[in-house]
Amino acid sequence: MEVDAENGLLQRKQSIYKSLDESFMIEKETYRGQQYSQIYFARLHLMRTLLYSLLPTWKPHLPVCTVLGLEEGKDCIIVGTIYKHMKLKPSILDEYSKERSAGPLVQPHNFMHSDDYLVLEDESGRVKLRGALLLPSVYVTGIVVALHGKETGAGDFMVEDVLEAGLPHQIARPLNSGDDKFVVFVSGLSVGSSSANPLHFQLFVDHITGHLGDEKEQGIAAQIVQVVIAGNSVEFPRGLLNGQNLGSRDQSKLSEPIKELDILLTQIAAGIPVDIMPGENDPANFALPQQPLNRCLFPGSAAFNTFRSCTNPHTFELDNVRFLGTSGQTIDDLAKYSDGKGKLEFLERTIRWRHLAPTAPNTLGCYPFTDRDPFFVEVCPHVYFAGNQDKFEASLIKGSDGQVVRLICIPRFAETGTAVMLNLRNLECHTLTFGSHFGSSGSSVNERLELKRSSFVSSYSGRYLSVVSENQTL
Amino acid sequence: MAETAALVNLEEIRSFVSDRLQVVSYKWLSRNFLVSSNVAKRLLEEFVEKYGDGLVVIYSLSGWLKNNPTTYHIRLVPKHMLSDAKQEFDGNCSVQVYSIQACLPKDPATLWNHEFVQAEDLFKQPSTVDNCLRDNRFCGVVNSFVKRTGGATPLGNGSLQLKSTGVSGLSSSYSTPQTAAAPKSIQKNVQNAGSNAGVQSLSIAKPVKTEGHVKPDLAEGAQVAEKEKVPRSLPNNKKAQSGKNSSGTGGALASMWGRAPTKPKPDASLVQADNSRQNSSVSAEDQICARELADYGSSDDDDKDFNIKRTSNGQGSRKRRVVFSYSDEEDEYENAISLGSPDPPKKSILCSKDNSKASTPECNLSFEEKENKPEVKKEKESEANANQHLEEKVVAVDHSKKAESLASEKTLCHAPETDASKKNNAADVVPKRRKVLKTRIDERGREVTVVVWEGEEQDTKSDNNSAKTAENNTASNALNRPPVVRKSPAVGNTAPANHAGKAGNKKAGNKDPKQGNLFSFFKKV
């Protein structure tokens, strides 16, 4: 940390920022009866080419077939899009069906059922998949994979091996070089919600902008080069939006949270570059990719050159470290339609499938692109994050070509009081937690927070600590 | 330094805490007394040492947690829990006084509340002001790469105006701090001058002007919103208004020409810049145009005069009808001045011409919208020429009719400016009616053509008029006495004028001056 000789103030570290959001920007947004088939086609085309290029190194001796060209008992490879047939997947048609079927009840956490099965389809046709290797619970609709197997007598395809696209190529960066510089991730601020404690966000702002604490703490703050707000920054009473005209009081109820957020963002932007991504609850479009929040919402903070309003899958480079992340919808949707040990596993799967949002457009809102699939991951990020998760989790995955990706689940700040700090130098991360505990008179919110905090500490410690525990060199 | 500051402040802090029962946090302190956060924290610590008994002190602890070494934890705890809390931290954590208050708050959010209120106040200040919220000057970490375009008035003002027109609730909240801020105009001058990247070379008077300008404008916006004018019509208004503004100064210049000593030209372009900036809906081209033209303007004035004009403009344009009734009076007044001035009227004509030239783009815009003038004419030079021509005509008419207009002092001019100019052209063609056409330059420099249908019209309106005249007199008095107001332009001027404007508005609002216009139309048919 350099100290400004004149007034004893610390200089904030700088890094080079490069926005790569163009692919998520929707130019000339139109809805003229486009169908989603084009996205699937673009996806299949892109990924099949990719998978074909991998086949010679995978199983060079096997022929490649289309679904229509399958012959019974003959080993071959087929490439296509997976469709997951789900008994419990909600369908609008069910509401119109006359006969009341005795369908099984939906589980509280997702729509999985033991009868679910997978189907592979390409342009020529579709075939039901069998085999213990390909678990229906892991896969979701929309993934493109290559399968090795043979057709059975029943007309199904017996899967013997699976090839996923795998981690994309990563631009190498020298690890452990340069100074410690930190990126702060925060999501689910929910400004305006009754459960959020505004004091914690204020403390967060004060900490990162270098108000709080002694010189040592401000020295840490001075190393923060970027703040990323990953969605769900505001919460306003949606009940008011019922298509009726709003009274002025209701209008202010809607606008107050955004104004409050603007005030706080102003304080951040006055000190640190800040990226704000729209999330599920934010006043942005619903369909992915969510377009940047309108700058008019933030008259105060938008005046700063440090304020950037970004798209929802958001990708950028900071000192040649590539970031990619979403506000969490993609991961949440995967959790609804597949099973995994934790949110980190979903993150890992998507990056290995090389697709950010395989369930879009099937169960996730998505703009009907006609010419491309923007969620295809072309270049491997160094940091891949998802916002608005229940708890903080992080892990480091390695690819076959030496790719190293830091996966981060960013917890909802309003509930956990937790932000995530990532060290650009070595991609290690730690949490930044805030609490205000005034003893017996402390509010119930905080007691709840404390409880939550202690529970997640114990739950994530195993895998994660082994990776990050050496990060004490601040 | 801290010690001396402490001597001054500690007593004050004490009164805040124990008398007003306020939560005094270090940040509130730093923003309130304009000291840095670190100094504020030291102050609080000193204060706690001296007067800490009987007060509740909340500390902020920060450091790495013992049971979870990858967590940097920041926590607020009251004094009695301090030692326990320290145990949870690994090694030495930083302990600092966060806030002091008379009693322990039930909800920790209380601590945040007063700070937020303060931040909100700072936030509400006009975007031209670089306050401590916006430049983060009191923190311990500086970032010289942060730039704020807030000095860029177009954006800020534009958004402000948008707000004031769009949501009336907001507008009031936005306009209030500005009025409150007015007395501080000197301070703002400095800040403005610093923050305005685009207009650095401006004299110090300029920011004052902006202040004056912005404020009534907002007020106007609010009023407009209140009266439920269609928002769409506002841009028109604004354009027209700004056009008027510039030529309005022209009028003022005309009147002041004989007296005011010549000052460097930039002032004129300043006005222009101001106007164009303020009028956010004018396209860039037009602004450029305006500036170019403004360069020709050899007129100049005292900044105070501008200021006066500004304020008057602002409220004058609150409502169109009021504007026009104002213009009646002020017009007369001005005419009187220019007549009374030692210089021959010719000079004033020249001068107003110049200024009208400067204003033409905007004027033209408003013309075009209503008259559907072909776009082709928009070419700068031809435009300027055409307008100049037109202006000349108008001025000529103006002078010829001056006597008349003086005589028929009570007549209302309801015809909107654009209408007027239309009729101005048409007037030569259709003289058969007993229509008396009076054109003059009002205080805003718009050519106002009064169409008076002699006979019933005047009777019906005379009462209406007289009421307004009274209002107008007060307003114009406030406006047209530069020597008096000179000392404190921002304060002295706006307050009474505002008042008058409002009163006038209320009264005038009851009767719709447009009626007369319609009436005349029917008569014509």
Side-chain angles (χ1 to χ4, degrees):
Chain A
M1 64 191 88
E2 300 120 49
V3 175
D4 197 328
E6 278 175 40
N7 42 17
L9 290 176
L10 299 160
Q11 282 286 348
R12 183 169 297 282
K13 295 211 167 142
Q14 304 294 328
S15 61
I16 299 152
Y17 180 94
K18 194 170 144 202
S19 173
L20 301 164
D21 272 344
E22 309 98 79
S23 61
F24 299 119
M25 298 294 282
I26 302 172
E27 306 289 333
K28 295 175 196 149
E29 189 174 356
T30 47
Y31 293 91
R32 293 221 186 103
Q34 305 107 299
Q35 297 293 311
Y36 283 124
S37 62
Q38 276 143 319
I39 293 189
Y40 283 122
F41 179 76
R43 188 182 299 175
L44 180 63
H45 186 75
L46 254 174
M47 298 194 64
R48 189 164 50 190
T49 328
L50 187 101
L51 286 167
Y52 278 166
S53 70
L54 297 175
L55 288 183
T57 54
W58 188 47
K59 294 192 171 166
H61 55 283
L62 288 171
V64 180
C65 288
T66 60
V67 169
L68 200 64
L70 283 175
E71 286 170 40
E72 195 180 328
K74 187 184 161 198
D75 266 335
C76 66
I77 290 171
I78 52 173
V79 179
T81 311
I82 282 180
Y83 172 78
K84 184 170 178 178
H85 183 86
M86 300 181 76
K87 214 173 182 177
L88 296 182
K89 186 178 137 186
S91 164
I92 187 73
L93 294 179
D94 293 345
E95 293 176 23
Y96 292 91
S97 69
K98 293 247 169 70
E99 59 200 67
R100 299 235 162 244
S101 58
L105 287 172
V106 177
Q107 288 170 298
H109 65 282
N110 68 12
F111 300 110
M112 299 288 296
H113 189 264
S114 52
D115 291 349
D116 295 346
Y117 61 88
L118 299 177
V119 169
L120 189 84
E121 64 178 53
D122 61 9
E123 298 101 323
S124 63
R126 60 194 314 192
V127 61
K128 195 175 164 186
L129 302 176
R130 281 181 183 280
L133 202 78
L134 199 69
L135 286 173
S137 63
V138 171
Y139 291 87
V140 289
T141 301
I143 309 159
V144 179
V145 288
L147 299 175
H148 165 216
K150 55 187 157 198
E151 196 184 358
T152 63
D156 297 343
F157 189 78
M158 198 64 188
V159 180
E160 283 162 23
D161 204 354
V162 186
L163 175 70
E164 294 164 355
L167 288 180
H169 170 70
Q170 188 172 43
I171 299 160
R173 59 173 282 278
L175 271 173
N176 285 318
S177 63
D179 318 332
D180 284 326
K181 287 182 189 173
F182 288 90
V183 180
V184 178
F185 294 96
V186 66
S187 74
L189 294 170
S190 296
V191 173
S193 107
S194 52
S195 67
N197 188 341
L199 182 63
H200 290 169
F201 187 36
Q202 186 67 56
L203 284 174
F204 169 74
V205 171
D206 293 349
H207 172 71
I208 61 174
T209 51
H211 280 283
L212 208 61
D214 54 11
E215 262 122 54
K216 194 173 126 229
E217 184 174 342
Q218 289 173 1
I220 297 171
Q223 294 175 324
I224 298 172
V225 292
Q226 178 76 41
V227 179
V228 178
I229 301 175
N232 291 2
S233 313
V234 289
E235 192 169 300
F236 42 84
R238 293 194 173 257
L240 292 174
L241 302 169
N242 53 1
Q244 305 283 315
N245 283 340
L246 288 174
S248 59
R249 192 182 296 166
D250 290 342
Q251 278 181 356
S252 74
K253 260 188 212 162
L254 288 180
S255 63
E256 272 314 305
I258 295 173
K259 200 173 137 210
E260 192 183 320
L261 178 68
D262 189 24
I263 293 174
L264 289 156
L265 283 180
T266 302
Q267 298 173 46
I268 300 180
I272 314 173
V274 56
D275 282 7
I276 182 165
M277 296 161 58
E280 207 177 357
N281 298 337
D282 286 329
N285 57 334
F286 164 75
L288 292 175
Q290 285 186 301
Q291 298 304 290
L293 292 165
N294 199 316
R295 293 176 75 87
C296 297
L297 292 171
F298 309 106
S301 37
F304 290 90
N305 64 346
T306 44
F307 176 87
R308 294 183 208 97
S309 187
C310 308
T311 55
N312 178 357
H314 176 37
T315 176
F316 60 99
E317 255 181 38
L318 210 59
D319 281 353
N320 294 324
V321 177
R322 201 179 173 100
F323 290 76
L324 173 67
T326 66
S327 298
Q329 294 103 314
T330 54
I331 302 304
D332 293 344
D333 200 57
L334 281 182
K336 279 183 206 159
Y337 294 98
S338 61
D339 272 336
K341 276 192 224 91
K343 294 296 180 66
L344 275 183
E345 197 169 341
F346 293 122
L347 268 178
E348 185 177 341
R349 278 181 200 164
T350 50
I351 196 82
R352 290 205 189 274
W353 291 331
R354 218 183 268 202
H355 201 276
L356 271 182
T359 51
N362 185 33
T363 48
L364 194 60
C366 170
Y367 175 77
F369 289 95
T370 53
D371 50 345
R372 64 199 171 103
D373 183 4
F375 306 112
F376 176 70
V377 183
E378 277 175 80
V379 180
C380 187
H382 299 98
V383 179
Y384 179 39
F385 62 90
N388 299 300
Q389 302 305 311
D390 296 330
K391 59 187 184 198
F392 165 71
E393 288 175 295
S395 70
L396 209 60
I397 57 165
K398 295 204 165 112
S400 50
D401 289 344
Q403 301 101 320
V404 176
V405 187
R406 162 66 67 189
L407 308 179
I408 305 173
C409 287
I410 310 163
R412 286 180 280 268
F413 187 84
E415 289 170 19
T416 60
T418 304
V420 181
M421 304 258 286
L422 173 102
N423 192 339
L424 276 183
R425 182 171 63 86
N426 50 14
L427 299 186
E428 271 159 13
C429 51
H430 66 266
T431 52
L432 191 63
T433 58
F434 297 88
S436 48
H437 199 51
F438 295 169
S440 51
S441 60
S443 78
S444 56
V445 172
N446 290 298
E447 271 152 29
R448 204 186 67 219
L449 287 182
E450 290 300 323
L451 277 177
K452 274 209 163 183
R453 204 162 292 135
S454 55
S455 68
F456 99 73
V457 162
S458 55
S459 67
Y460 85 86
S461 51
R463 177 181 194 178
Y464 166 66
L465 283 184
S466 60
V467 183
V468 187
S469 56
E470 68 270 30
N471 182 33
Q472 290 295 311
T473 53
L474 282 177
Chain B
M1 186 203 89
E3 268 61 39
T4 54
L7 287 177
V8 183
N9 285 341
L10 285 184
E11 277 308 310
E12 277 186 84
I13 298 171
R14 196 176 179 183
S15 78
F16 273 121
V17 179
S18 43
D19 299 345
R20 299 190 214 173
L21 298 177
Q22 207 173 337
V23 181
V24 175
S25 67
Y26 76 93
K27 245 174 88 200
W28 184 88
L29 199 68
S30 101
R31 284 176 182 161
N32 206 42
F33 292 105
L34 301 177
V35 294
S36 86
S37 287
N38 290 340
V39 172
K41 276 178 268 185
R42 275 203 295 278
L43 272 176
L44 278 187
E45 212 167 315
E46 260 174 65
F47 180 81
V48 170
E49 275 169 28
K50 279 190 187 168
Y51 313 99
D53 315 327
L55 291 174
V56 174
V57 186
I58 287 178
Y59 291 90
S60 69
L61 274 80
S62 46
W64 298 93
L65 284 181
K66 235 180 218 168
N67 59 2
N68 181 13
T70 59
T71 297
Y72 191 88
H73 189 58
I74 294 164
R75 170 182 293 191
L76 298 186
V77 287
K79 196 174 188 180
H80 63 90
M81 292 169 63
L82 190 58
S83 51
D84 288 348
K86 269 186 188 169
Q87 299 299 316
E88 292 182 32
F89 287 89
D90 183 27
N92 47 352
C93 55
S94 109
V95 181
Q96 298 206 301
V97 180
Y98 183 82
S99 68
I100 45 177
Q101 50 269 305
C103 61
L104 194 66
K106 281 227 165 59
D107 184 358
T110 331
L111 292 186
W112 164 83
N113 203 36
H114 70 286
E115 235 179 69
F116 181 73
V117 169
Q118 190 190 31
E120 204 175 12
D121 283 344
L122 289 169
F123 183 78
K124 275 182 195 162
Q125 287 178 9
S127 60
T128 42
V129 183
D130 260 340
N131 55 35
C132 57
L133 187 80
R134 291 181 180 135
D135 59 11
N136 203 25
R137 70 179 79 132
F138 296 137
C139 71
V141 182
V142 289
N143 187 352
S144 49
F145 293 85
V146 177
K147 297 264 178 333
R148 208 172 77 86
T149 48
T153 347
L155 183 92
N157 270 358
S159 60
L160 278 181
Q161 278 168 356
L162 266 181
K163 248 179 211 145
S164 57
T165 52
V167 191
S168 58
L170 268 180
S171 73
S172 59
S173 69
Y174 268 88
S175 55
T176 38
Q178 300 218 333
T179 9
K184 293 184 204 157
S185 55
I186 299 164
Q187 185 204 343
K188 271 175 198 165
N189 274 351
V190 185
Q191 284 168 334
N192 263 354
S195 65
N196 264 334
V199 235
Q200 279 141 348
S201 61
L202 304 189
S203 69
I204 207 154
K206 193 228 93 215
V208 181
K209 280 181 261 162
T210 345
E211 288 299 311
H213 214 133
V214 167
K215 190 177 24 149
D217 216 88
L218 284 170
E220 172 214 4
Q223 291 247 342
V224 170
E226 274 166 31
K227 304 244 157 145
E228 291 182 327
K229 263 200 172 181
V230 194
R232 199 154 41 82
S233 75
L234 198 78
N236 279 347
N237 270 354
K238 258 188 230 153
K239 266 177 212 165
Q241 183 203 337
S242 61
K244 284 154 207 162
N245 279 348
S246 47
S247 43
T249 41
L253 295 177
S255 64
M256 298 309 292
W257 183 261
R259 305 164 190 183
T262 34
K263 270 190 138 193
K265 284 180 190 179
D267 265 8
S269 60
L270 263 191
V271 192
Q272 212 44 56
D274 255 7
N275 285 334
S276 52
R277 193 144 34 93
Q278 178 239 356
N279 133 37
S280 56
S281 48
V282 175
S283 68
E285 191 211 333
D286 289 322
Q287 287 191 18
I288 294 163
C289 193
R291 260 166 230 212
E292 271 175 20
L293 287 166
D295 285 345
Y296 295 121
S298 58
S299 51
D300 47 308
D301 210 332
D302 262 342
D303 33 336
K304 276 112 189 175
D305 296 326
F306 286 136
N307 201 4
I308 291 153
K309 281 301 153 197
R310 274 301 138 53
T311 41
S312 69
N313 286 344
Q315 355 131 331
S317 53
R318 249 178 222 159
K319 272 234 136 174
R320 191 155 267 209
R321 21 197 156 161
V322 185
V323 173
F324 289 110
S325 58
Y326 273 3
S327 58
D328 254 355
E329 295 305 310
E330 280 149 26
D331 202 14
E332 246 76 74
Y333 203 85
E334 264 169 38
N335 284 342
I337 288 181
S338 60
L339 285 175
S341 66
D343 282 312
K346 214 182 172 187
K347 208 162 190 182
S348 74
I349 294 172
L350 255 179
C351 166
S352 68
K353 234 194 267 169
D354 274 346
N355 278 282
S356 61
K357 240 204 275 171
S359 70
T360 38
E362 279 110 351
C363 283
N364 210 27
L365 258 181
S366 59
F367 281 1
E368 273 169 6
E369 290 202 351
K370 291 183 184 164
E371 289 186 57
N372 299 324
K373 269 193 184 178
E375 286 278 317
V376 195
K377 271 202 175 176
K378 245 193 163 181
E379 290 213 322
K380 280 179 207 162
E381 285 179 24
S382 66
E383 178 190 35
N385 282 341
N387 278 287
Q388 195 182 346
H389 190 65
L390 201 137
E391 291 293 330
E392 264 175 316
K393 220 200 257 171
V394 173
V395 170
V397 177
D398 180 16
H399 276 261
S400 62
K401 308 272 178 170
K402 199 168 267 171
E404 255 176 326
S405 67
L406 270 168
S408 63
E409 192 176 317
K410 295 270 153 90
T411 45
L412 242 194
C413 50
H414 5 252
E417 175 214 11
T418 41
D419 259 16
S421 62
K422 221 190 230 170
K423 275 176 193 156
N424 194 7
N425 298 335
D428 310 328
V429 195
V430 206
K432 54 185 176 182
R433 287 259 160 208
R434 279 188 64 211
K435 179 172 73 177
V436 182
L437 234 165
K438 287 157 198 162
T439 317
R440 54 212 133 145
I441 307 288
D442 71 358
E443 45 83 31
R444 233 164 286 110
R446 301 167 299 182
E447 339 74 275
V448 175
T449 310
V450 189
V451 189
V452 183
W453 297 87
E454 310 234 291
E456 315 89 331
E457 285 267 17
Q458 269 189 327
D459 306 27
T460 53
K461 269 167 232 150
S462 54
D463 53 343
N464 192 2
N465 228 346
S466 57
K468 273 179 210 162
T469 334
E471 302 300 332
N472 293 337
N473 273 336
T474 59
S476 56
N477 278 349
L479 298 170
N480 288 319
R481 241 183 270 139
V484 182
V485 237
R486 230 154 237 220
K487 273 175 191 168
S488 56
V491 188
N493 237 338
T494 53
N498 247 335
H499 181 71
K502 261 176 206 160
N505 229 349
K506 266 175 212 158
K507 287 200 182 169
N510 296 337
K511 280 209 176 181
D512 194 350
K514 274 218 168 158
Q515 267 179 6
N517 204 2
L518 277 175
F519 190 46
S520 64
F521 173 74
F522 284 124
K523 263 188 115 181
K524 208 154 102 186
V525 177

